[in-house]
Amino acid sequence: MELSGPAPDGPPEGPGHVLVLSAPVGEGHVAAARALATRMRALWPRAVVREVESTGSTARDAALARSYAATMRYVPGLYGVAYDALLHAPRAAAPFKAVSAARVGHDLAPLVEAERPDLVVSTYPMTTGGLAWLRRRGRLPARSVAVVTDMAVHPYWAWRDVDETWTLLESSREQALTVVPGADVRVAPAAVDVRFAPRDRHAARVDLGLPVVGFTVLVSGGSLGFGDVDTVVDAVLAAATADRPVRVVVLCGRNERLRRDLEARGLPETTLRAVGWTDRVPDLIAAGDVVLTTAGGVIATEALAVGRPVVFATPVAGHGRAGARLAEQAGLALACPRPVDVTATIARLAADPDAVAPLEARAAEFGVRDLDAALRELAGRVRTPAGRP
């Protein structure tokens, strides 16, 4: 998918031409790219901002999307083994990185040469590798920025020949520097849509037709609805008592089977509501007391931007577990490796507002970080190539 911004007359207020790259492998990378592009257009109204959701090959894009979805749904342990191997043995990843970077770089070259951007931003690790390959060969004069969308950074996120790498946490920055010592790695605000902002919980519930009383838990398995969401839902419902009701709202994403299975339970919507693909995620997050995720990634940063506590519930192997660990260490989330931990944690949070308050405070601190300010500072580091008007 490609989107272009307008090209009004007159000098641009920021970079003249921006290329924002992502890939349709899970929704998080694309959502971050769209959020960045939208904010760039608002900040730099005279700039041309073009989004490209591809690694340069439609066949590769389709294969990556299919293999990722199938692996996470049927053999997540295999994905976890590969992810952890990369995370803990970055040098062993070097040959694989080199091969993928060369292939992606070769396929991205025509786009970069045709666009001649001043700034290229990538939210997908393999695409970032392609940009690094182009830079090493003198075929990328633009400033390049890698935006990490997960809490944890594995070797495919970090590339020596990218000008900047933006991470979400200081611990994430340290991971990236372990892979590429001496690189320009910065802790930056999360790339989330402007709609993910603090909002009154009561008003959000009224708008969505949810009861205003009771502890509400929003559960997400990412855009594909993976992870053991059914078990997580059971674990949350088990935390309810007669005098302390707990309701669950489940974001099923594009997983229609999950939505149908949850609806087939026959529970009233005041107890369990299954939601398919929707554009009301900011409202649903605002309506919740806490957001549980089995996947992590962008839904976690979106929740924090709204000021809602995050719980990683039986997180999926790989980026889910790695991100949960770092987020918990940073005081931004709670990690529940087993269903019984989910039940105990939700029961405690529902019963004790004082247990929720510190998490909300840390979420607010994280969410208040100014992405627009970071982009303005980035504009000052971009230099228009010689010969561009």
Side-chain angles (χ1 to χ4, degrees):
M1 178 179 179
E2 300 179 3
L3 299 172
S4 297
D9 295 332
E13 298 177 9
H17 195 125
V18 184
L19 197 56
V20 183
L21 303 178
S22 62
V25 184
E27 185 65 22
H29 304 291
V30 174
R34 289 175 181 166
L36 287 164
T38 298
R39 292 190 180 221
M40 289 173 179
R41 292 185 183 110
L43 288 171
W44 310 323
R46 296 187 179 278
V48 174
V49 180
R50 184 179 177 193
E51 300 171 59
V52 177
E53 298 171 12
S54 176
T55 61
S57 164
T58 55
R60 182 193 300 114
D61 296 341
L64 286 171
R66 285 195 304 269
S67 62
Y68 177 68
T71 301
M72 294 305 296
R73 186 161 294 166
Y74 301 113
V75 283
L78 180 61
Y79 175 82
V81 169
Y83 186 100
D84 292 342
L86 291 173
L87 189 65
H88 299 296
R91 291 185 180 179
F96 303 99
K97 287 179 64 175
V99 171
S100 67
R103 292 176 176 173
V104 175
H106 178 271
D107 291 336
L108 287 176
L111 171 68
V112 172
E113 290 168 2
E115 292 290 320
R116 296 177 59 225
D118 307 316
L119 171 65
V120 183
V121 178
S122 170
T123 64
Y124 185 62
M126 289 182 66
T127 304
T128 303
L131 297 178
W133 184 86
L134 289 170
R135 170 60 58 79
R136 285 195 298 273
R137 282 150 185 79
R139 300 171 68 179
L140 181 66
R143 188 167 190 85
S144 54
V145 180
V147 176
V148 179
T149 58
D150 290 335
M151 295 288 182
V153 180
H154 67 77
Y156 269 81
W157 273 118
W159 300 84
R160 189 175 306 281
D161 296 289
V162 171
D163 293 307
E164 300 179 25
T165 300
W166 289 10
T167 65
L168 293 168
L169 304 170
E170 181 60 37
S171 54
S172 308
R173 178 178 180 271
E174 293 170 0
Q175 284 185 329
L177 288 172
T178 299
V179 180
V180 284
D184 186 349
V185 184
R186 303 164 184 248
V187 178
V192 298
D193 190 281
V194 292
R195 296 179 302 148
F196 293 95
R199 185 187 172 195
D200 180 71
R201 183 179 287 111
H202 183 279
R205 290 182 181 179
V206 170
D207 286 350
L208 291 165
L210 290 170
V212 296
V213 178
F215 197 80
T216 299
V217 179
L218 183 67
V219 174
S220 171
S223 63
L224 300 176
F226 51 59
D228 198 357
V229 176
D230 282 303
T231 300
V232 169
V233 169
D234 289 335
V236 174
L237 292 174
T241 64
D243 60 344
R244 190 185 63 231
V246 174
R247 78 179 54 87
V248 185
V249 180
V250 184
L251 292 175
C252 301
R254 302 189 189 279
N255 191 336
E256 279 298 299
R257 179 178 179 179
L258 172 63
R259 184 183 64 80
R260 290 193 300 268
D261 288 348
L262 292 173
E263 289 180 344
R265 295 186 179 202
L267 295 174
E269 282 204 343
T270 53
T271 299
L272 173 62
R273 179 186 291 191
V275 181
W277 190 254
T278 177
D279 61 358
R280 301 207 66 182
V281 176
D283 300 322
L284 289 162
I285 291 176
D289 290 285
V290 66
V291 175
L292 265 74
T293 174
T294 60
V298 170
I299 187 67
T301 55
E302 290 170 343
L304 293 170
V306 178
R308 296 296 180 264
V310 175
V311 174
F312 287 86
T314 64
V316 295
H319 65 282
R321 293 174 187 169
R325 183 173 61 254
L326 292 188
E328 185 173 50
Q329 290 171 354
L332 292 170
L334 299 175
C336 299
R338 302 170 302 167
V340 65
D341 301 319
V342 173
T343 301
T345 296
I346 296 303
R348 177 170 61 88
L349 296 178
D352 183 8
D354 290 339
V356 180
L359 290 169
E360 288 186 331
R362 289 290 291 126
E365 291 174 8
F366 182 90
V368 78
R369 296 191 299 182
D370 192 345
L371 180 60
D372 288 350
L375 290 173
R376 291 189 191 99
E377 292 175 3
L378 172 61
R381 298 190 291 273
V382 176
R383 296 293 178 265
T384 302
R388 183 182 297 284

